[in-house]
Amino acid sequence: MTLPRIDIDDPEFEMDEGEVVSYQGQRFTGEVVEYQRGALVSLVTYKDGIEDGPSKEWYMDGTLSSEGTLRGGFPVGESKEWHPNGRLASRVLMSANGLRQLEITEWDENGNLTKEWHADQG
């Protein structure tokens, strides 16, 4: 199933103070994309106006900047961020309900580990 896709610059696109997205006056279900100088820099999936599904961001040169999944507006599962040079910058693992961080790992631009944290499993 292909989701409808709208551009964040579409005049019918609206986001309220609670970050609920509407299109043509209705809560939006589908993908919202953002372009800067012709380059795709953001793709966020919404369900009934709330972030729900895959989310990705890119640097202007097309290099992936971040990716993750949201459910009901909360990050769930694994999310990653990359440095502009393409090296992995961070990896965060969230609980299935998005309310608890389970792991955080971070690296510098050269790939050296700078932080590693794991939640108590007890």
Side-chain angles (χ1 to χ4, degrees):
M1 176 180 100
T2 303
L3 292 174
R5 182 178 281 190
I6 58 171
D7 192 304
I8 199 166
D9 293 326
D10 188 307
E12 301 271 353
F13 171 88
E14 293 181 32
M15 181 181 286
D16 69 16
E17 294 168 3
E19 297 191 4
V20 175
V21 167
S22 298
Y23 183 67
Q24 297 178 338
Q26 302 290 320
R27 283 182 169 226
F28 181 71
T29 296
E31 297 173 339
V32 175
V33 293
E34 180 179 4
Y35 292 88
Q36 290 181 2
R37 294 190 299 254
L40 179 65
V41 295
S42 174
L43 183 149
V44 180
T45 309
Y46 288 83
K47 182 177 179 183
D48 296 324
I50 306 293
E51 289 185 56
D52 194 287
S55 175
K56 290 186 177 188
E57 293 182 336
W58 294 267
Y59 292 104
M60 289 294 295
D61 68 0
T63 302
L64 193 60
S65 165
S66 67
E67 72 177 1
T69 302
L70 291 104
R71 291 286 173 248
F74 293 98
V76 297
E78 183 180 72
S79 62
K80 294 179 180 178
E81 292 184 2
W82 287 267
H83 292 287
N85 66 7
R87 287 190 183 256
L88 191 60
S90 69
R91 177 185 173 274
V92 176
L93 186 62
M94 297 293 292
S95 62
N97 64 6
L99 299 178
R100 188 164 176 252
Q101 287 185 331
L102 304 176
E103 294 179 20
I104 301 172
T105 312
E106 296 177 354
W107 298 268
D108 66 17
E109 301 84 8
N110 298 314
N112 298 307
L113 184 67
T114 59
K115 179 179 181 179
E116 189 169 18
W117 176 85
H118 299 272
D120 292 335
Q121 299 298 317

